[in-house]
PDB file of all heavy atoms in Angstrom:
ATOM      1  N   GLY A   8       0.769  -1.261   0.016  1.00  0.00           N
ATOM      2  CA  GLY A   8      -0.001   0.050   0.012  1.00  0.00           C
ATOM      3  C   GLY A   8       0.761   1.295   0.025  1.00  0.00           C
ATOM      4  O   GLY A   8       0.229   2.348  -0.084  1.00  0.00           O
ATOM      5  N   SER A   9       2.105   1.153   0.111  1.00  0.00           N
ATOM      6  CA  SER A   9       2.924   2.324   0.064  1.00  0.00           C
ATOM      7  C   SER A   9       2.934   2.993  -1.299  1.00  0.00           C
ATOM      8  O   SER A   9       2.937   2.267  -2.285  1.00  0.00           O
ATOM      9  CB  SER A   9       4.348   2.073   0.540  1.00  0.00           C
ATOM     10  OG  SER A   9       4.934   1.113  -0.274  1.00  0.00           O
ATOM     11  N   THR A  10       2.992   4.346  -1.343  1.00  0.00           N
ATOM     12  CA  THR A  10       2.902   5.045  -2.637  1.00  0.00           C
ATOM     13  C   THR A  10       3.992   5.976  -2.799  1.00  0.00           C
ATOM     14  O   THR A  10       4.643   6.436  -1.841  1.00  0.00           O
ATOM     15  CB  THR A  10       1.534   5.774  -2.725  1.00  0.00           C
ATOM     16  OG1 THR A  10       1.446   6.750  -1.707  1.00  0.00           O
ATOM     17  CG2 THR A  10       0.358   4.799  -2.597  1.00  0.00           C
ATOM     18  N   SER A  11       4.282   6.318  -3.998  1.00  0.00           N
ATOM     19  CA  SER A  11       5.141   7.425  -4.434  1.00  0.00           C
ATOM     20  C   SER A  11       4.566   8.100  -5.616  1.00  0.00           C
ATOM     21  O   SER A  11       3.792   7.491  -6.426  1.00  0.00           O
ATOM     22  CB  SER A  11       6.532   6.920  -4.682  1.00  0.00           C
ATOM     23  OG  SER A  11       6.529   6.067  -5.813  1.00  0.00           O
ATOM     24  N   SER A  12       4.914   9.379  -5.758  1.00  0.00           N
ATOM     25  CA  SER A  12       4.364  10.129  -6.902  1.00  0.00           C
ATOM     26  C   SER A  12       5.381  11.221  -7.318  1.00  0.00           C
ATOM     27  O   SER A  12       6.249  11.574  -6.544  1.00  0.00           O
ATOM     28  CB  SER A  12       3.020  10.715  -6.589  1.00  0.00           C
ATOM     29  OG  SER A  12       3.119  11.643  -5.501  1.00  0.00           O
ATOM     30  N   ALA A  13       5.220  11.643  -8.566  1.00  0.00           N
ATOM     31  CA  ALA A  13       6.014  12.702  -9.047  1.00  0.00           C
ATOM     32  C   ALA A  13       5.698  13.994  -8.438  1.00  0.00           C
ATOM     33  O   ALA A  13       4.543  14.260  -8.002  1.00  0.00           O
ATOM     34  CB  ALA A  13       5.867  12.835 -10.589  1.00  0.00           C
ATOM     35  N   ASP A  14       6.713  14.857  -8.303  1.00  0.00           N
ATOM     36  CA  ASP A  14       6.481  16.132  -7.580  1.00  0.00           C
ATOM     37  C   ASP A  14       5.395  16.972  -8.324  1.00  0.00           C
ATOM     38  O   ASP A  14       4.630  17.738  -7.700  1.00  0.00           O
ATOM     39  CB  ASP A  14       7.779  16.995  -7.556  1.00  0.00           C
ATOM     40  CG  ASP A  14       8.794  16.395  -6.656  1.00  0.00           C
ATOM     41  OD1 ASP A  14       8.405  15.602  -5.706  1.00  0.00           O
ATOM     42  OD2 ASP A  14       9.996  16.751  -6.763  1.00  0.00           O
ATOM     43  N   SER A  15       5.311  16.870  -9.654  1.00  0.00           N
ATOM     44  CA  SER A  15       4.339  17.618 -10.369  1.00  0.00           C
ATOM     45  C   SER A  15       2.862  17.241 -10.091  1.00  0.00           C
ATOM     46  O   SER A  15       1.983  18.094 -10.449  1.00  0.00           O
ATOM     47  CB  SER A  15       4.620  17.418 -11.905  1.00  0.00           C
ATOM     48  OG  SER A  15       4.525  16.071 -12.307  1.00  0.00           O
ATOM     49  N   VAL A  16       2.647  16.086  -9.502  1.00  0.00           N
ATOM     50  CA  VAL A  16       1.237  15.707  -9.231  1.00  0.00           C
ATOM     51  C   VAL A  16       0.963  15.550  -7.791  1.00  0.00           C
ATOM     52  O   VAL A  16      -0.143  15.282  -7.425  1.00  0.00           O
ATOM     53  CB  VAL A  16       0.925  14.382  -9.999  1.00  0.00           C
ATOM     54  CG1 VAL A  16       1.205  14.504 -11.450  1.00  0.00           C
ATOM     55  CG2 VAL A  16       1.671  13.212  -9.375  1.00  0.00           C
ATOM     56  N   LYS A  17       1.956  15.818  -6.857  1.00  0.00           N
ATOM     57  CA  LYS A  17       1.713  15.668  -5.496  1.00  0.00           C
ATOM     58  C   LYS A  17       0.632  16.596  -4.998  1.00  0.00           C
ATOM     59  O   LYS A  17       0.604  17.749  -5.329  1.00  0.00           O
ATOM     60  CB  LYS A  17       3.031  15.911  -4.695  1.00  0.00           C
ATOM     61  CG  LYS A  17       4.059  14.818  -4.807  1.00  0.00           C
ATOM     62  CD  LYS A  17       5.204  15.122  -3.922  1.00  0.00           C
ATOM     63  CE  LYS A  17       6.342  14.064  -4.069  1.00  0.00           C
ATOM     64  NZ  LYS A  17       5.860  12.688  -3.737  1.00  0.00           N
ATOM     65  N   GLY A  18      -0.260  16.034  -4.186  1.00  0.00           N
ATOM     66  CA  GLY A  18      -1.345  16.850  -3.696  1.00  0.00           C
ATOM     67  C   GLY A  18      -2.557  16.897  -4.641  1.00  0.00           C
ATOM     68  O   GLY A  18      -3.624  17.394  -4.223  1.00  0.00           O
ATOM     69  N   ARG A  19      -2.443  16.436  -5.903  1.00  0.00           N
ATOM     70  CA  ARG A  19      -3.499  16.498  -6.818  1.00  0.00           C
ATOM     71  C   ARG A  19      -3.882  15.084  -7.257  1.00  0.00           C
ATOM     72  O   ARG A  19      -5.111  14.846  -7.489  1.00  0.00           O
ATOM     73  CB  ARG A  19      -3.059  17.309  -8.094  1.00  0.00           C
ATOM     74  CG  ARG A  19      -2.725  18.719  -7.770  1.00  0.00           C
ATOM     75  CD  ARG A  19      -2.512  19.557  -9.053  1.00  0.00           C
ATOM     76  NE  ARG A  19      -1.440  19.018  -9.852  1.00  0.00           N
ATOM     77  CZ  ARG A  19      -1.534  18.530 -11.106  1.00  0.00           C
ATOM     78  NH1 ARG A  19      -2.771  18.539 -11.717  1.00  0.00           N
ATOM     79  NH2 ARG A  19      -0.466  18.082 -11.748  1.00  0.00           N
ATOM     80  N   PHE A  20      -2.959  14.151  -7.421  1.00  0.00           N
ATOM     81  CA  PHE A  20      -3.306  12.798  -7.866  1.00  0.00           C
ATOM     82  C   PHE A  20      -3.073  11.807  -6.773  1.00  0.00           C
ATOM     83  O   PHE A  20      -2.219  12.000  -5.895  1.00  0.00           O
ATOM     84  CB  PHE A  20      -2.369  12.440  -8.977  1.00  0.00           C
ATOM     85  CG  PHE A  20      -2.519  13.157 -10.308  1.00  0.00           C
ATOM     86  CD1 PHE A  20      -3.329  14.242 -10.396  1.00  0.00           C
ATOM     87  CD2 PHE A  20      -1.801  12.659 -11.418  1.00  0.00           C
ATOM     88  CE1 PHE A  20      -3.476  14.917 -11.598  1.00  0.00           C
ATOM     89  CE2 PHE A  20      -1.900  13.357 -12.598  1.00  0.00           C
ATOM     90  CZ  PHE A  20      -2.697  14.508 -12.686  1.00  0.00           C
ATOM     91  N   THR A  21      -3.978  10.857  -6.676  1.00  0.00           N
ATOM     92  CA  THR A  21      -3.876   9.745  -5.720  1.00  0.00           C
ATOM     93  C   THR A  21      -4.000   8.396  -6.398  1.00  0.00           C
ATOM     94  O   THR A  21      -4.940   8.147  -7.115  1.00  0.00           O
ATOM     95  CB  THR A  21      -5.057   9.889  -4.690  1.00  0.00           C
ATOM     96  OG1 THR A  21      -4.972  11.214  -4.052  1.00  0.00           O
ATOM     97  CG2 THR A  21      -4.927   8.807  -3.649  1.00  0.00           C
ATOM     98  N   ILE A  22      -3.008   7.574  -6.105  1.00  0.00           N
ATOM     99  CA  ILE A  22      -3.094   6.211  -6.695  1.00  0.00           C
ATOM    100  C   ILE A  22      -3.545   5.232  -5.607  1.00  0.00           C
ATOM    101  O   ILE A  22      -3.238   5.429  -4.380  1.00  0.00           O
ATOM    102  CB  ILE A  22      -1.639   5.822  -7.137  1.00  0.00           C
ATOM    103  CG1 ILE A  22      -1.750   4.456  -7.929  1.00  0.00           C
ATOM    104  CG2 ILE A  22      -0.622   5.706  -6.006  1.00  0.00           C
ATOM    105  CD1 ILE A  22      -0.419   4.118  -8.675  1.00  0.00           C
ATOM    106  N   SER A  23      -4.349   4.200  -6.008  1.00  0.00           N
ATOM    107  CA  SER A  23      -4.788   3.286  -5.095  1.00  0.00           C
ATOM    108  C   SER A  23      -4.953   1.946  -5.844  1.00  0.00           C
ATOM    109  O   SER A  23      -4.895   1.952  -7.064  1.00  0.00           O
ATOM    110  CB  SER A  23      -6.145   3.654  -4.481  1.00  0.00           C
ATOM    111  OG  SER A  23      -7.182   3.827  -5.490  1.00  0.00           O
ATOM    112  N   ARG A  24      -5.154   0.871  -5.093  1.00  0.00           N
ATOM    113  CA  ARG A  24      -5.243  -0.479  -5.738  1.00  0.00           C
ATOM    114  C   ARG A  24      -6.211  -1.334  -4.978  1.00  0.00           C
ATOM    115  O   ARG A  24      -6.417  -1.174  -3.808  1.00  0.00           O
ATOM    116  CB  ARG A  24      -3.924  -1.158  -5.832  1.00  0.00           C
ATOM    117  CG  ARG A  24      -3.290  -1.517  -4.522  1.00  0.00           C
ATOM    118  CD  ARG A  24      -1.804  -2.035  -4.747  1.00  0.00           C
ATOM    119  NE  ARG A  24      -1.736  -3.327  -5.257  1.00  0.00           N
ATOM    120  CZ  ARG A  24      -0.588  -3.920  -5.607  1.00  0.00           C
ATOM    121  NH1 ARG A  24       0.557  -3.282  -5.523  1.00  0.00           N
ATOM    122  NH2 ARG A  24      -0.601  -5.170  -6.100  1.00  0.00           N
ATOM    123  N   ASP A  25      -6.940  -2.117  -5.667  1.00  0.00           N
ATOM    124  CA  ASP A  25      -7.774  -3.154  -5.176  1.00  0.00           C
ATOM    125  C   ASP A  25      -7.316  -4.477  -5.515  1.00  0.00           C
ATOM    126  O   ASP A  25      -7.492  -4.998  -6.702  1.00  0.00           O
ATOM    127  CB  ASP A  25      -9.283  -2.975  -5.681  1.00  0.00           C
ATOM    128  CG  ASP A  25     -10.229  -3.861  -4.993  1.00  0.00           C
ATOM    129  OD1 ASP A  25      -9.862  -4.945  -4.562  1.00  0.00           O
ATOM    130  OD2 ASP A  25     -11.450  -3.479  -4.977  1.00  0.00           O
ATOM    131  N   ASN A  26      -6.571  -5.173  -4.609  1.00  0.00           N
ATOM    132  CA  ASN A  26      -5.891  -6.415  -4.911  1.00  0.00           C
ATOM    133  C   ASN A  26      -6.916  -7.542  -5.295  1.00  0.00           C
ATOM    134  O   ASN A  26      -6.594  -8.340  -6.130  1.00  0.00           O
ATOM    135  CB  ASN A  26      -5.036  -6.874  -3.747  1.00  0.00           C
ATOM    136  CG  ASN A  26      -3.884  -5.965  -3.552  1.00  0.00           C
ATOM    137  OD1 ASN A  26      -3.333  -5.396  -4.497  1.00  0.00           O
ATOM    138  ND2 ASN A  26      -3.413  -5.774  -2.315  1.00  0.00           N
ATOM    139  N   ALA A  27      -8.099  -7.491  -4.676  1.00  0.00           N
ATOM    140  CA  ALA A  27      -9.100  -8.547  -4.989  1.00  0.00           C
ATOM    141  C   ALA A  27      -9.576  -8.401  -6.416  1.00  0.00           C
ATOM    142  O   ALA A  27      -9.968  -9.415  -6.970  1.00  0.00           O
ATOM    143  CB  ALA A  27     -10.227  -8.410  -4.044  1.00  0.00           C
ATOM    144  N   LYS A  28      -9.624  -7.208  -6.962  1.00  0.00           N
ATOM    145  CA  LYS A  28     -10.007  -6.997  -8.318  1.00  0.00           C
ATOM    146  C   LYS A  28      -8.878  -6.835  -9.352  1.00  0.00           C
ATOM    147  O   LYS A  28      -9.169  -6.599 -10.502  1.00  0.00           O
ATOM    148  CB  LYS A  28     -10.936  -5.745  -8.391  1.00  0.00           C
ATOM    149  CG  LYS A  28     -12.195  -5.852  -7.520  1.00  0.00           C
ATOM    150  CD  LYS A  28     -13.020  -4.642  -7.701  1.00  0.00           C
ATOM    151  CE  LYS A  28     -14.327  -4.682  -6.810  1.00  0.00           C
ATOM    152  NZ  LYS A  28     -15.200  -5.757  -7.219  1.00  0.00           N
ATOM    153  N   ASN A  29      -7.728  -6.957  -8.826  1.00  0.00           N
ATOM    154  CA  ASN A  29      -6.490  -6.798  -9.730  1.00  0.00           C
ATOM    155  C   ASN A  29      -6.629  -5.417 -10.493  1.00  0.00           C
ATOM    156  O   ASN A  29      -6.390  -5.406 -11.732  1.00  0.00           O
ATOM    157  CB  ASN A  29      -6.392  -7.898 -10.675  1.00  0.00           C
ATOM    158  CG  ASN A  29      -5.760  -9.147  -9.956  1.00  0.00           C
ATOM    159  OD1 ASN A  29      -5.119  -9.097  -8.941  1.00  0.00           O
ATOM    160  ND2 ASN A  29      -6.152 -10.330 -10.553  1.00  0.00           N
ATOM    161  N   THR A  30      -6.943  -4.356  -9.812  1.00  0.00           N
ATOM    162  CA  THR A  30      -7.215  -3.064 -10.363  1.00  0.00           C
ATOM    163  C   THR A  30      -6.390  -1.991  -9.717  1.00  0.00           C
ATOM    164  O   THR A  30      -6.329  -2.024  -8.425  1.00  0.00           O
ATOM    165  CB  THR A  30      -8.712  -2.783 -10.399  1.00  0.00           C
ATOM    166  OG1 THR A  30      -9.389  -3.813 -11.096  1.00  0.00           O
ATOM    167  CG2 THR A  30      -9.004  -1.449 -11.017  1.00  0.00           C
ATOM    168  N   VAL A  31      -5.864  -1.101 -10.450  1.00  0.00           N
ATOM    169  CA  VAL A  31      -5.171   0.114  -9.953  1.00  0.00           C
ATOM    170  C   VAL A  31      -5.890   1.354 -10.458  1.00  0.00           C
ATOM    171  O   VAL A  31      -6.369   1.317 -11.642  1.00  0.00           O
ATOM    172  CB  VAL A  31      -3.694   0.130 -10.322  1.00  0.00           C
ATOM    173  CG1 VAL A  31      -3.491   0.172 -11.749  1.00  0.00           C
ATOM    174  CG2 VAL A  31      -3.049   1.326  -9.660  1.00  0.00           C
ATOM    175  N   TYR A  32      -6.026   2.307  -9.607  1.00  0.00           N
ATOM    176  CA  TYR A  32      -6.752   3.548  -9.945  1.00  0.00           C
ATOM    177  C   TYR A  32      -5.835   4.755  -9.856  1.00  0.00           C
ATOM    178  O   TYR A  32      -4.856   4.705  -9.127  1.00  0.00           O
ATOM    179  CB  TYR A  32      -7.966   3.794  -9.026  1.00  0.00           C
ATOM    180  CG  TYR A  32      -8.944   2.581  -8.954  1.00  0.00           C
ATOM    181  CD1 TYR A  32      -8.793   1.647  -7.933  1.00  0.00           C
ATOM    182  CD2 TYR A  32      -9.961   2.500  -9.857  1.00  0.00           C
ATOM    183  CE1 TYR A  32      -9.715   0.589  -7.896  1.00  0.00           C
ATOM    184  CE2 TYR A  32     -10.823   1.395  -9.802  1.00  0.00           C
ATOM    185  CZ  TYR A  32     -10.692   0.468  -8.775  1.00  0.00           C
ATOM    186  OH  TYR A  32     -11.539  -0.590  -8.736  1.00  0.00           O
ATOM    187  N   LEU A  33      -6.140   5.797 -10.576  1.00  0.00           N
ATOM    188  CA  LEU A  33      -5.419   7.048 -10.447  1.00  0.00           C
ATOM    189  C   LEU A  33      -6.568   8.119 -10.442  1.00  0.00           C
ATOM    190  O   LEU A  33      -7.165   8.447 -11.436  1.00  0.00           O
ATOM    191  CB  LEU A  33      -4.525   7.299 -11.545  1.00  0.00           C
ATOM    192  CG  LEU A  33      -3.696   8.581 -11.428  1.00  0.00           C
ATOM    193  CD1 LEU A  33      -2.684   8.493 -10.303  1.00  0.00           C
ATOM    194  CD2 LEU A  33      -2.924   8.896 -12.728  1.00  0.00           C
ATOM    195  N   GLN A  34      -6.759   8.706  -9.232  1.00  0.00           N
ATOM    196  CA  GLN A  34      -7.724   9.832  -9.090  1.00  0.00           C
ATOM    197  C   GLN A  34      -6.963  11.104  -9.374  1.00  0.00           C
ATOM    198  O   GLN A  34      -6.012  11.422  -8.664  1.00  0.00           O
ATOM    199  CB  GLN A  34      -8.272   9.810  -7.659  1.00  0.00           C
ATOM    200  CG  GLN A  34      -9.263  10.996  -7.422  1.00  0.00           C
ATOM    201  CD  GLN A  34     -10.513  10.846  -8.280  1.00  0.00           C
ATOM    202  OE1 GLN A  34     -11.147   9.835  -8.371  1.00  0.00           O
ATOM    203  NE2 GLN A  34     -10.944  11.946  -8.951  1.00  0.00           N
ATOM    204  N   MET A  35      -7.407  11.842 -10.370  1.00  0.00           N
ATOM    205  CA  MET A  35      -6.702  13.082 -10.780  1.00  0.00           C
ATOM    206  C   MET A  35      -7.664  14.251 -10.536  1.00  0.00           C
ATOM    207  O   MET A  35      -8.691  14.345 -11.110  1.00  0.00           O
ATOM    208  CB  MET A  35      -6.350  13.030 -12.256  1.00  0.00           C
ATOM    209  CG  MET A  35      -5.448  11.787 -12.609  1.00  0.00           C
ATOM    210  SD  MET A  35      -4.870  11.785 -14.277  1.00  0.00           S
ATOM    211  CE  MET A  35      -6.463  11.548 -15.180  1.00  0.00           C
ATOM    212  N   ASN A  36      -7.225  15.114  -9.663  1.00  0.00           N
ATOM    213  CA  ASN A  36      -8.033  16.335  -9.315  1.00  0.00           C
ATOM    214  C   ASN A  36      -7.124  17.556  -9.641  1.00  0.00           C
ATOM    215  O   ASN A  36      -5.973  17.501  -9.868  1.00  0.00           O
ATOM    216  CB  ASN A  36      -8.249  16.362  -7.782  1.00  0.00           C
ATOM    217  CG  ASN A  36      -9.134  15.215  -7.346  1.00  0.00           C
ATOM    218  OD1 ASN A  36     -10.028  14.730  -8.135  1.00  0.00           O
ATOM    219  ND2 ASN A  36      -8.915  14.792  -6.120  1.00  0.00           N
ATOM    220  N   SER A  37      -7.825  18.723  -9.761  1.00  0.00           N
ATOM    221  CA  SER A  37      -7.231  19.942 -10.064  1.00  0.00           C
ATOM    222  C   SER A  37      -6.294  19.798 -11.328  1.00  0.00           C
ATOM    223  O   SER A  37      -5.151  20.234 -11.356  1.00  0.00           O
ATOM    224  CB  SER A  37      -6.325  20.419  -8.845  1.00  0.00           C
ATOM    225  OG  SER A  37      -7.148  20.604  -7.705  1.00  0.00           O
ATOM    226  N   LEU A  38      -6.863  19.288 -12.324  1.00  0.00           N
ATOM    227  CA  LEU A  38      -6.070  18.973 -13.587  1.00  0.00           C
ATOM    228  C   LEU A  38      -5.674  20.193 -14.235  1.00  0.00           C
ATOM    229  O   LEU A  38      -6.372  21.264 -14.266  1.00  0.00           O
ATOM    230  CB  LEU A  38      -6.918  18.149 -14.543  1.00  0.00           C
ATOM    231  CG  LEU A  38      -6.991  16.637 -14.130  1.00  0.00           C
ATOM    232  CD1 LEU A  38      -8.078  15.970 -14.850  1.00  0.00           C
ATOM    233  CD2 LEU A  38      -5.632  16.001 -14.482  1.00  0.00           C
ATOM    234  N   LYS A  39      -4.494  20.238 -14.864  1.00  0.00           N
ATOM    235  CA  LYS A  39      -3.842  21.317 -15.537  1.00  0.00           C
ATOM    236  C   LYS A  39      -3.591  20.919 -16.952  1.00  0.00           C
ATOM    237  O   LYS A  39      -3.541  19.735 -17.285  1.00  0.00           O
ATOM    238  CB  LYS A  39      -2.539  21.716 -14.834  1.00  0.00           C
ATOM    239  CG  LYS A  39      -2.597  22.064 -13.383  1.00  0.00           C
ATOM    240  CD  LYS A  39      -1.180  22.219 -12.820  1.00  0.00           C
ATOM    241  CE  LYS A  39      -1.203  22.526 -11.322  1.00  0.00           C
ATOM    242  NZ  LYS A  39       0.108  22.745 -10.782  1.00  0.00           N
ATOM    243  N   PRO A  40      -3.490  21.927 -17.845  1.00  0.00           N
ATOM    244  CA  PRO A  40      -3.179  21.623 -19.252  1.00  0.00           C
ATOM    245  C   PRO A  40      -1.886  20.833 -19.339  1.00  0.00           C
ATOM    246  O   PRO A  40      -1.794  19.995 -20.311  1.00  0.00           O
ATOM    247  CB  PRO A  40      -3.009  22.964 -19.935  1.00  0.00           C
ATOM    248  CG  PRO A  40      -3.996  23.797 -19.156  1.00  0.00           C
ATOM    249  CD  PRO A  40      -3.839  23.351 -17.726  1.00  0.00           C
ATOM    250  N   GLU A  41      -0.969  21.032 -18.536  1.00  0.00           N
ATOM    251  CA  GLU A  41       0.326  20.306 -18.512  1.00  0.00           C
ATOM    252  C   GLU A  41       0.104  18.814 -18.195  1.00  0.00           C
ATOM    253  O   GLU A  41       1.095  18.025 -18.389  1.00  0.00           O
ATOM    254  CB  GLU A  41       1.322  20.882 -17.451  1.00  0.00           C
ATOM    255  CG  GLU A  41       1.547  22.373 -17.627  1.00  0.00           C
ATOM    256  CD  GLU A  41       0.521  23.213 -16.931  1.00  0.00           C
ATOM    257  OE1 GLU A  41       0.770  23.419 -15.706  1.00  0.00           O
ATOM    258  OE2 GLU A  41      -0.427  23.673 -17.527  1.00  0.00           O
ATOM    259  N   ASP A  42      -0.997  18.399 -17.738  1.00  0.00           N
ATOM    260  CA  ASP A  42      -1.264  17.036 -17.469  1.00  0.00           C
ATOM    261  C   ASP A  42      -1.674  16.238 -18.728  1.00  0.00           C
ATOM    262  O   ASP A  42      -1.815  15.037 -18.686  1.00  0.00           O
ATOM    263  CB  ASP A  42      -2.360  16.857 -16.389  1.00  0.00           C
ATOM    264  CG  ASP A  42      -1.909  17.410 -15.035  1.00  0.00           C
ATOM    265  OD1 ASP A  42      -0.757  17.218 -14.651  1.00  0.00           O
ATOM    266  OD2 ASP A  42      -2.756  18.063 -14.393  1.00  0.00           O
ATOM    267  N   THR A  43      -1.925  16.962 -19.825  1.00  0.00           N
ATOM    268  CA  THR A  43      -2.337  16.313 -21.041  1.00  0.00           C
ATOM    269  C   THR A  43      -1.248  15.372 -21.502  1.00  0.00           C
ATOM    270  O   THR A  43      -0.111  15.763 -21.702  1.00  0.00           O
ATOM    271  CB  THR A  43      -2.605  17.391 -22.122  1.00  0.00           C
ATOM    272  OG1 THR A  43      -3.700  18.214 -21.714  1.00  0.00           O
ATOM    273  CG2 THR A  43      -2.944  16.740 -23.434  1.00  0.00           C
ATOM    274  N   ALA A  44      -1.706  14.092 -21.703  1.00  0.00           N
ATOM    275  CA  ALA A  44      -0.770  13.023 -22.128  1.00  0.00           C
ATOM    276  C   ALA A  44      -1.509  11.781 -22.312  1.00  0.00           C
ATOM    277  O   ALA A  44      -2.717  11.654 -21.986  1.00  0.00           O
ATOM    278  CB  ALA A  44       0.332  12.855 -21.032  1.00  0.00           C
ATOM    279  N   VAL A  45      -0.858  10.770 -22.855  1.00  0.00           N
ATOM    280  CA  VAL A  45      -1.386   9.386 -22.857  1.00  0.00           C
ATOM    281  C   VAL A  45      -0.909   8.783 -21.561  1.00  0.00           C
ATOM    282  O   VAL A  45       0.360   8.765 -21.232  1.00  0.00           O
ATOM    283  CB  VAL A  45      -0.945   8.547 -24.052  1.00  0.00           C
ATOM    284  CG1 VAL A  45      -1.440   7.162 -23.936  1.00  0.00           C
ATOM    285  CG2 VAL A  45      -1.389   9.249 -25.338  1.00  0.00           C
TER     286      VAL A  45
END
């Protein structure tokens, strides 16, 4: 459950995982144009 993130997204993005569902999520808030990417 430990996490790390890039400085550019700290405080805005949150990563989480559901091991039972084999799923990882990325909650992205306060999005900026600089976040545009694949």
